[in-house]
Amino acid sequence: MLIESYIKEMRVSRLVFVGVLSILFSLSVVSVLWANGSLGKIELFVLGIGLFLLFGIGLILLSRLELNGMGRGSAFRNSKRFFITCFGALEFLFLLTLLSNYPGFCSTDSNDIINQALGLSEYQNHFRYDGLSNHHPIFYTFLFWVVWCLTGGSTPPDFAVFIFLLLQSTYIAIGMAWSLGWLNKHCSSRLIVVFLSLLSILSPVLLVHAATMWKDSPFAITALILVLKLYDFSKRDQQEVKDIVEIFILCLFVSLLRNNGIYVSILVLAYIFIVFGDVRKKVALSLISLLLIMGFIQGPIFNAFSVSKGHFAESVSVPLQQIAAVEAEGGKITDEQRNFLNNIRPLEEAKEFYNPSSTNPIKFSPNFNDEFLESHKLEFIEVWTQIALANPGIAFKAWVNLTKGYWQPGYISDIGTANTLYNESPISLIGISFSPHDFFKALSSIVPFIFSMGTSTWLVFIAFGVLALRHKSDGLLKRATCFIPLLALLVSLLLAAPIVSDFRYILTIYLSIPFLLVLGNFFGLDETKRINETGFTLREVSKSSYFMSQEMI
């Protein structure tokens, strides 16, 4: 009765929105089972319908429930003390991780960055560059080079790596402490604030990434701050110049710290330009300035220091994977298409190098011709489109197997390497063995859903869905601004994911989880902007349920 009345009161557009999200959720489970051949068609259909109904009904109920007594004041009034407490706890745990795993965690990508800074970079199958390259953002490499020079420029650079990661983890501690302080200001429940703060501070995912030499770590915390700033920006009655400047600076650093960050920043600023008419001139100036700065860096500066741009192959990982899958599974490829693709890498090798979970075996080979691909980009896109349309089943299956880690509910993956510089084992400087990786394995065995990349994505979708259903249409576009960076990051992964299970690529989405109650308006902060008079709080639902039961008796 209750859910039926809710549905009758909803607009058609909102029902369509719920239906689309429900279909996507159902497909996120069913498509993986289909790709694996786990169930038959009838079982998949029945399961899909069940998941569709479950998600749709659940989302509608969530949109009608309101957490009482929250969002109307800070949980802890002394904001400075709260910030210092969070920062101190984070810095202590990060320092403990680094001192017990000296000089910090380093992957193959980390070693490439270090070699570039030290002038030791040379062509390798997995790297395919000589000298400096923007394959890993040169800004991050430059930051390490500065630290290496300031620490004496010694080799091996263990001490420089340690100091660099100490500075990186301190930046992350400051950013996360500020973010938790933001949460404290937007939630008046001490219980919820403490619980969510501990969830962030004690997260082994955060511990590993703070102590690992990856550009993704400072990128993620910068992008998270951008998300929270956009929330505040969207709620102001009148946007100020200071707001635009802050967003511009954050977008600039997001663009510098990861190569797909520029696309995220462009989408954010373009969205603000479209939705917030009163600040269009300022936002247009910000967008033009961002493009000019990034163009100057990647043009004259790159040329002056002989910095190679990243390979086009990194942007078309999914198309390369789908073409390899079609060849490996005996799909349809014409002789003309085959002759063209053989110039990139001989297709006859596809059965040997095709790995459903990674495109790296395709690209990381002396037989892979980057030069030809770089000079035939449009032709490649055209050939890929033709092959994908001729083999839709194989192409879709290849996409599912390559990207499912980022959207399949419950998908668990490793959170990073436990090795240090040049694949050596880290050492403890304090006589204590503390492994955040072991901590992760222990926790994920108890509460696996907390550390699932796919679950993190769907929590964001659920929060966005609740926000959309609780708001009037005329205010929704503005309030949805804070979700644009998260959705843009996800789309970039779905189009160009190089591997199925790299947690760092989705770290921003994972770090946003404790803040989704506010971002999704679960606290009912906008009483005057509710869709209509039919919204229910938890208390009202309890009362209505009680009277319904009395009438039945």
Side-chain angles (χ1 to χ4, degrees):
M1 294 290 293
L2 194 61
I3 186 65
E4 184 179 350
S5 65
Y6 290 170
I7 293 175
K8 287 181 179 179
E9 293 158 1
M10 292 178 67
R11 297 178 182 177
V12 174
S13 60
R14 298 184 187 276
L15 283 174
V16 171
F17 175 77
V18 172
V20 170
L21 276 185
S22 301
I23 290 172
L24 292 175
F25 179 78
S26 179
L27 287 175
S28 71
V29 177
V30 172
S31 61
V32 176
L33 296 175
W34 167 79
N36 295 338
S38 303
L39 296 175
K41 293 182 180 179
I42 296 178
E43 291 91 338
L44 289 174
F45 178 78
V46 173
L47 177 62
I49 294 296
L51 291 172
F52 171 85
L53 295 174
L54 179 65
F55 184 88
I57 293 172
L59 185 61
I60 292 173
L61 289 175
L62 277 176
S63 70
R64 297 291 177 161
L65 298 180
E66 178 184 320
L67 299 175
N68 290 314
M70 301 169 195
R72 297 174 178 83
S74 300
F76 297 92
R77 294 185 179 180
N78 194 327
S79 57
K80 290 184 178 179
R81 181 183 300 173
F82 183 81
F83 171 83
I84 292 173
T85 301
C86 292
F87 171 75
L90 287 162
E91 188 73 356
F92 170 78
L93 289 173
F94 293 162
L95 186 58
L96 174 64
T97 302
L98 286 171
L99 290 176
S100 57
N101 297 275
Y102 180 86
F105 303 119
C106 295
S107 69
T108 300
D109 287 351
S110 310
N111 295 331
D112 292 336
I113 292 169
I114 293 168
N115 288 338
Q116 284 193 86
L118 272 59
L120 304 175
S121 179
E122 58 183 22
Y123 187 94
Q124 301 177 59
N125 288 340
H126 73 277
F127 192 55
R128 311 195 311 284
Y129 301 94
D130 285 318
L132 295 175
S133 159
N134 198 48
H135 177 78
H136 305 296
I138 200 66
F139 177 68
Y140 190 75
T141 304
F142 170 74
L143 292 178
F144 173 72
W145 176 80
V146 171
V147 172
W148 178 65
C149 291
L150 292 176
T151 53
S154 60
T155 53
D158 297 57
F159 183 65
V161 169
F162 172 76
I163 296 299
F164 180 80
L165 290 177
L166 180 61
L167 293 173
Q168 172 179 287
S169 61
T170 300
Y171 170 72
I172 293 172
I174 293 172
M176 182 54 72
W178 179 89
S179 300
L180 294 175
W182 180 94
L183 175 65
N184 177 55
K185 292 179 181 178
H186 290 79
C187 175
S188 63
S189 169
R190 290 192 172 188
L191 179 62
I192 289 183
V193 169
V194 170
F195 173 75
L196 294 177
S197 297
L198 289 175
L199 193 67
S200 296
I201 293 170
L202 299 178
S203 170
V205 175
L206 184 61
L207 292 179
V208 168
H209 285 83
T212 303
M213 195 171 176
W214 281 334
K215 78 278 185 181
D216 310 89
S217 305
F219 170 87
I221 199 67
T222 305
L224 175 63
I225 295 172
L226 174 62
V227 168
L228 304 183
K229 283 288 186 180
L230 287 173
Y231 175 89
D232 291 338
F233 173 81
S234 69
K235 290 204 65 182
R236 298 190 195 283
D237 294 330
Q238 185 173 3
Q239 286 71 31
E240 302 176 357
V241 175
K242 179 175 72 76
D243 301 322
I244 304 297
V245 172
E246 290 177 347
I247 291 171
F248 169 75
I249 292 173
L250 289 167
C251 284
L252 177 60
F253 280 97
V254 163
S255 302
L256 290 171
L257 284 168
R258 209 162 83 179
N259 288 331
N260 65 338
I262 183 63
Y263 305 114
V264 174
S265 298
I266 290 173
L267 284 173
V268 167
L269 292 175
Y271 187 87
I272 295 175
F273 177 84
I274 294 170
V275 175
F276 295 84
D278 54 337
V279 293
R280 279 179 180 163
K281 290 183 179 179
K282 300 180 182 68
V283 175
L285 179 61
S286 298
L287 180 55
I288 293 171
S289 300
L290 178 68
L291 294 175
L292 288 175
I293 292 172
M294 296 303 296
F296 178 74
I297 291 173
Q298 297 187 12
I301 291 183
F302 275 22
N303 292 333
F305 292 93
S306 300
V307 179
S308 302
K309 294 183 179 180
H311 289 312
F312 178 66
E314 304 302 325
S315 302
V316 290
S317 293
V318 170
L320 287 170
Q321 185 80 340
Q322 291 175 321
I323 291 171
V326 170
E327 174 65 16
E329 297 187 22
K332 301 174 183 177
I333 299 179
T334 66
D335 291 339
E336 183 180 356
Q337 293 166 345
R338 186 180 299 278
N339 291 334
F340 173 82
L341 294 170
N342 281 335
N343 290 303
I344 301 173
R345 182 169 180 181
L347 277 181
E348 61 187 20
E349 300 175 1
K351 291 184 179 180
E352 299 177 8
F353 64 67
Y354 175 64
N355 180 345
S357 301
S358 175
T359 60
N360 290 340
I362 300 174
K363 299 175 294 183
F364 296 173
S365 168
N367 295 332
F368 192 86
N369 191 337
D370 279 297
E371 289 74 16
F372 181 85
L373 182 58
E374 297 282 350
S375 60
H376 295 79
K377 295 177 182 177
L378 293 179
E379 295 94 327
F380 172 79
I381 296 298
E382 182 181 356
V383 169
W384 160 67
T385 303
Q386 295 170 351
I387 292 175
L389 291 176
N391 303 270
I394 298 176
F396 180 68
K397 181 180 177 181
W399 177 82
V400 167
N401 287 329
L402 183 62
T403 64
K404 62 184 178 183
Y406 307 106
W407 47 262
Q408 180 191 0
Y411 192 97
I412 300 291
S413 70
D414 292 334
I415 54 175
T417 180
N419 293 330
T420 188
L421 194 61
Y422 302 132
N423 298 318
E424 297 289 335
S425 298
I427 61 174
S428 176
L429 298 181
I430 55 177
I432 297 175
S433 178
F434 174 68
S435 172
H437 298 84
D438 292 340
F439 185 33
F440 168 77
K441 291 178 182 178
L443 285 180
S444 61
S445 64
I446 301 172
V447 282
F449 63 92
I450 295 180
F451 304 108
S452 165
M453 296 191 299
T455 300
S456 301
T457 296
W458 276 104
L459 289 176
V460 170
F461 274 123
I462 290 171
F464 178 69
V466 170
L467 175 68
L469 294 179
R470 289 170 75 99
H471 255 271
K472 287 184 177 180
S473 299
D474 57 356
L476 175 60
L477 290 178
K478 289 186 176 181
R479 285 297 305 276
T481 307
C482 60
F483 285 94
I484 299 302
L486 301 175
L487 297 177
L489 281 171
L490 181 63
V491 169
S492 69
L493 277 174
L494 300 184
L495 296 176
I499 192 170
V500 70
S501 58
D502 213 332
F503 212 114
R504 57 182 170 140
Y505 294 145
I506 209 167
L507 183 60
T508 303
I509 292 176
Y510 169 79
L511 293 180
S512 72
I513 291 175
F515 310 95
L516 292 178
L517 289 179
V518 176
L519 301 180
N521 194 23
F522 283 84
F523 294 152
L525 306 182
D526 304 300
E527 293 297 330
T528 60
K529 296 182 180 180
R530 296 294 294 276
I531 299 172
N532 47 43
E533 298 283 330
T534 60
F536 292 88
T537 65
L538 286 171
R539 189 176 300 165
E540 289 170 339
V541 170
S542 300
K543 286 183 179 180
S544 64
S545 300
Y546 171 77
F547 288 122
M548 287 174 61
S549 63
Q550 292 299 312
E551 292 176 0
M552 292 177 65
I553 294 174

